[in-house]
Amino acid sequence: MNHYDDIGKLILRLSVGILLLMHGLFKLMHGIAGISALVQANGWPVWMAYGVFIGEIIAPALLILGLLTRASAVVIVLNMLIAVYLAHSHQLFHLTKSGGWLLELQGLYLFGALAIALLGAGRFSVGGARGRMN
């Protein structure tokens, strides 16, 4: 593996991690009443709504650091699959007015995290390229 692969992994980790962390911090500051309502409407226990903090704050922070990277990326993938199921499943096959997929943002988080889970953290990470779950 060359030096550029590790830089690419760093850029991908930082992009997905920072952008998703912003969503999590917003929810932390403004509450998750909307998510709680979606969870309840689907017959799930309300406490499951708090999982959004794991998927949108803890996991992205670990991605940014490059610690337990693959596991954190899998948590984000699961978080995004649940988010699409609960809030966006009716939009799966719709386009925006400019022709883009209506779920572009969710798709980028989901598939970006999936790529990180497959690629690992790379050399520029706290856990190191060969670290456990990196």
Side-chain angles (χ1 to χ4, degrees), residues 57-114:
I57 294 179
I58 295 171
L62 290 171
L63 274 192
I64 292 165
L65 293 172
L67 229 107
L68 298 171
T69 304
R70 291 180 193 263
S72 299
V74 169
V75 167
I76 291 171
V77 168
L78 294 173
N79 182 73
M80 293 313 302
L81 288 172
I82 291 168
V84 168
Y85 173 76
L86 290 177
H88 304 287
S89 57
H90 63 283
Q91 301 168 325
L92 260 175
F93 302 105
H94 292 90
L95 301 176
T96 65
K97 291 178 183 174
S98 60
W101 186 32
L102 196 55
L103 301 181
E104 284 175 345
L105 184 61
Q106 295 83 356
L108 281 170
Y109 290 146
L110 172 66
F111 295 115
L114 182 58

Side-chain angles (χ1 to χ4, degrees), residues 7-57:
I7 292 172
K9 290 176 183 180
L10 174 65
I11 291 169
L12 182 59
R13 275 191 7 253
L14 292 177
S15 299
V16 171
I18 291 169
L19 294 172
L20 190 55
L21 180 63
M22 296 299 107
H23 284 272
L25 293 175
F26 180 86
K27 289 176 178 108
L28 186 63
M29 291 185 291
H30 295 94
I32 58 168
I35 295 169
S36 296
L38 287 170
V39 167
Q40 277 187 303
N42 280 275
W44 297 3
V46 179
W47 60 265
M48 289 186 77
Y50 291 95
V52 74
F53 295 126
I54 295 168
E56 294 187 15
I57 294 179

